[in-house]
Amino acid sequence: MFRSSVAAAGTFLTRHCRRTSHGACGTGIRMFSSVSDPEIKVCIVGSGPAGFYTAQHLLKYHKSTVIDIYEKQPVPFGLVRFGVAPDHPEVKNVVNAFTQTALQVRCSFHGNITVGKDVSIEELKQAYHVLVLSYGAETNRLLGIPGENLQGVYSASSLVGWYNGLPENRHLNPELNNETAVILGHGNVALDIARILLSPIDMLKKTDITAHSLEALQNSKVKRVVIVGRRGPLQVAFTIKELREMIKLPDTRLLYDPSDFEGLKHTVKDLPRPRRRLIELMIKAALEMNSEKEAENRGAATKEWCLRFLRSPLQIIPSDDGKRVGGIRLSVTKLEGSAESAKAIQTEDIEDLECGLVLSSIGYKSHPIDPSVPFDQREGLIPNKLGRVLHAPGICPVSFSGWKKIDCFEVAKGKKAGKPREKLIMLDLVSYWNCQPWSPPSTWLVVSLLE
């Protein structure tokens, strides 16, 4: 019954507990659930969108279900907090619904707990009837080309985590001292990153972007962003919303090669409406490049961006000292097949592009959470739902009420800076809040957090 209702959230393990008179499993492990002896006890590992949507469904349609959500970060919401671009606050409104779910009496949130480290899958299987693994795909896909480890080459997820306040990416310190950045990939994340790199600082100051990344972007020398894809305009993965935002970006000119769109007008009419509108917008932007108004805008702009089609990375070219990025070598590709299913085939033609920053936005893959779990990469999803832990030494779980304290502090701090919130990053302060009676942290504690 439950297997079909939440299969979309990730890999699923189920096991019935043998209860003793002490309310524990037959193995002697104490029950993790926060409510004693419910009919169905469900543990969701991961508190991102998929995890919360799973919880919402179960709470609504299965009244005897009690849910515990485990999250390795001390704060909930996964990609909504750490993945959505700072200038897309409307997308983050979903946290209001997630909050209402977490506040229900049959649902408990437990942050700052890493499944597979602080608590094992086997322990969870003993404690719950149903275990939903919704912990996400957080490992980056590698380019697999020479020079990938040079300074100045980063994954898209690392940069996004850097400006969104993901603790492990706080000290990324990306190379922003060169005028040209190259982004590999034609998806929404690629356009999000390009927009953040080129947006006026006054626009970013009004978002919840982290203070350290805002300062770095304010001093950035990046003025040109080249967004590279292996295939053509018909195969791009970004949506029309992201494209419109890039086209309308202030003080920024768009560079298109009209030849990329030759012959597409006849093909476009047969495409599904969303895809057709997207391609028509690209064609329109390309054909209007030489209009008087566009020429005036291009002449006044200080920054520029372009979409580069039919190019595949061959090598990251090192700088003169051999340590940093000096450029990128691209293979010219050709398409085999038609429309969105066309495949890119490398040719012998190559092209070198000088740049000082390379960002790989070619997707993610999941990772095994525990040796006892059969690993299926296709099942891995980013949302995270976590259950209630035994309070083992060195483990300090963060409850949802603890998160609300963090939330209030972030919002209040952001209000003083004219922002929606100022994200706190370090885990020590979070643990302090959760394990001690609540009081506003002292100045030295906040300073140490942001250093």
Side-chain angles (χ1 to χ4, degrees):
M1 176 176 66
F2 286 89
R3 185 179 297 273
S4 61
S5 65
V6 297
T11 303
F12 222 96
L13 301 174
T14 63
R15 178 166 181 172
H16 290 276
C17 251
R18 300 188 303 277
R19 297 182 181 85
T20 69
S21 59
H22 303 290
C25 293
T27 57
I29 299 175
R30 183 177 177 177
M31 296 300 293
F32 291 5
S33 178
S34 54
V35 179
S36 61
D37 292 332
E39 183 177 349
I40 299 291
K41 293 179 179 178
V42 178
C43 171
I44 303 177
V45 180
S47 68
F52 265 106
Y53 284 131
T54 299
Q56 284 179 354
H57 182 91
L58 292 176
L59 291 171
K60 181 177 181 180
Y61 294 104
H62 302 279
K63 301 301 183 182
S64 61
T65 300
V66 173
I67 298 174
D68 285 343
I69 302 173
Y70 283 67
E71 170 58 59
K72 75 172 185 177
Q73 299 294 341
V75 294
F77 310 136
L79 280 183
V80 179
R81 178 179 174 96
F82 296 119
V84 175
D87 57 348
H88 283 176
E90 71 284 354
V91 180
K92 302 182 183 185
N93 289 336
V94 71
V95 302
N96 297 326
F98 293 165
T99 297
Q100 293 306 310
T101 298
L103 292 176
Q104 291 195 38
V105 69
R106 292 188 290 127
C107 184
S108 298
F109 170 83
H110 307 280
N112 202 29
I113 303 295
T114 301
V115 173
K117 177 184 176 183
D118 298 326
V119 59
S120 72
I121 289 293
E122 288 301 321
E123 289 176 305
L124 294 177
K125 288 168 66 177
Q126 290 290 334
Y128 292 92
H129 299 96
V130 177
L131 175 57
V132 181
L133 299 184
S134 178
Y135 62 93
E138 55 185 345
T139 304
N140 303 302
R141 293 187 183 276
L142 298 177
L143 293 170
I145 60 175
E148 188 170 8
N149 295 321
L150 288 171
Q151 186 174 337
V153 181
Y154 310 97
S155 68
S157 62
S158 296
L159 193 78
V160 171
W162 172 71
Y163 61 64
N164 271 335
L166 193 61
E168 52 259 45
N169 298 133
R170 185 186 183 281
H171 299 293
L172 186 69
N173 192 25
E175 293 281 333
L176 301 175
N177 294 321
N178 192 281
E179 290 191 358
T180 302
V182 171
I183 303 175
L184 302 173
H186 276 172
N188 280 340
V189 174
L191 265 63
D192 281 345
I193 292 174
R195 194 176 65 255
I196 296 300
L197 290 175
L198 297 176
S199 288
I201 290 298
D202 288 342
M203 288 178 58
L204 295 178
K205 285 180 178 178
K206 300 175 183 178
T207 73
D208 67 356
I209 192 170
T210 56
H212 63 273
S213 57
L214 183 64
E215 181 181 1
L217 290 168
Q218 191 164 13
N219 297 318
S220 171
K221 295 181 180 179
V222 175
K223 297 183 180 298
R224 182 172 185 254
V225 177
V226 182
I227 309 173
V228 177
R230 294 176 301 156
R231 301 191 293 171
L234 291 177
Q235 293 82 34
V236 296
F238 53 76
T239 58
I240 195 169
K241 178 181 183 293
E242 277 67 25
L243 179 60
R244 283 200 188 106
E245 289 178 325
M246 286 300 298
I247 292 175
K248 295 178 180 179
L249 201 59
D251 191 33
T252 306
R253 57 176 166 262
L254 166 61
L255 302 181
Y256 265 130
D257 184 349
S259 64
D260 288 329
F261 301 92
E262 291 179 356
L264 289 187
K265 281 189 175 182
H266 299 293
T267 305
V268 167
K269 63 181 181 180
D270 298 323
L271 297 176
R273 187 172 183 271
R275 174 64 53 171
R276 185 180 74 247
R277 292 176 63 236
L278 173 62
I279 306 303
E280 286 174 344
L281 179 58
M282 283 194 284
I283 293 174
K284 181 180 179 182
L287 296 180
E288 290 182 354
M289 287 291 292
N290 296 321
S291 68
E292 183 177 343
K293 181 179 180 180
E294 181 62 26
E296 181 180 345
N297 291 337
R298 285 197 297 153
T302 62
K303 299 178 182 180
E304 62 187 30
W305 69 282
C306 69
L307 291 170
R308 196 76 171 137
F309 299 104
L310 300 176
R311 300 293 187 273
S312 180
L314 286 177
Q315 176 188 354
I316 307 297
I317 302 172
S319 58
D320 292 338
D321 63 6
K323 298 179 180 179
R324 296 175 171 79
V325 174
I328 185 169
R329 177 160 295 165
L330 304 170
S331 167
V332 179
T333 63
K334 63 179 181 180
L335 296 181
E336 290 187 357
S338 59
E340 296 181 53
S341 62
K343 294 184 178 181
I345 307 298
Q346 291 185 359
T347 69
E348 294 182 356
D349 296 330
I350 61 173
E351 177 179 289
D352 288 350
L353 178 62
E354 184 178 344
C355 62
L357 175 65
V358 174
L359 296 155
S360 172
S361 184
I362 59 173
Y364 314 97
K365 60 181 180 179
S366 190
H367 66 277
I369 191 171
D370 188 282
S372 67
V373 180
F375 178 59
D376 186 341
Q377 183 171 316
R378 295 180 59 186
E379 296 284 346
L381 298 176
I382 293 176
N384 296 302
K385 293 288 181 174
L386 298 150
R388 193 172 188 177
V389 180
L390 294 167
H391 285 218
I395 300 176
C396 188
V398 177
S399 65
F400 200 77
S401 62
W403 148 246
K404 293 301 291 181
K405 296 172 186 176
I406 298 169
D407 181 46
C408 290
F409 185 82
E410 288 184 341
V411 171
K413 188 174 178 62
K415 186 176 182 180
K416 294 180 181 179
K419 303 170 60 177
R421 72 172 62 239
E422 185 64 66
K423 292 178 180 176
L424 301 179
I425 301 172
M426 300 298 288
L427 301 186
D428 291 345
L429 180 56
V430 174
S431 298
Y432 170 83
W433 280 346
N434 190 65
C435 297
Q436 303 293 333
W438 168 246
S439 61
S442 61
T443 302
W444 70 265
L445 196 55
V446 174
V447 170
S448 68
L449 173 78
L450 298 177
E451 287 180 346

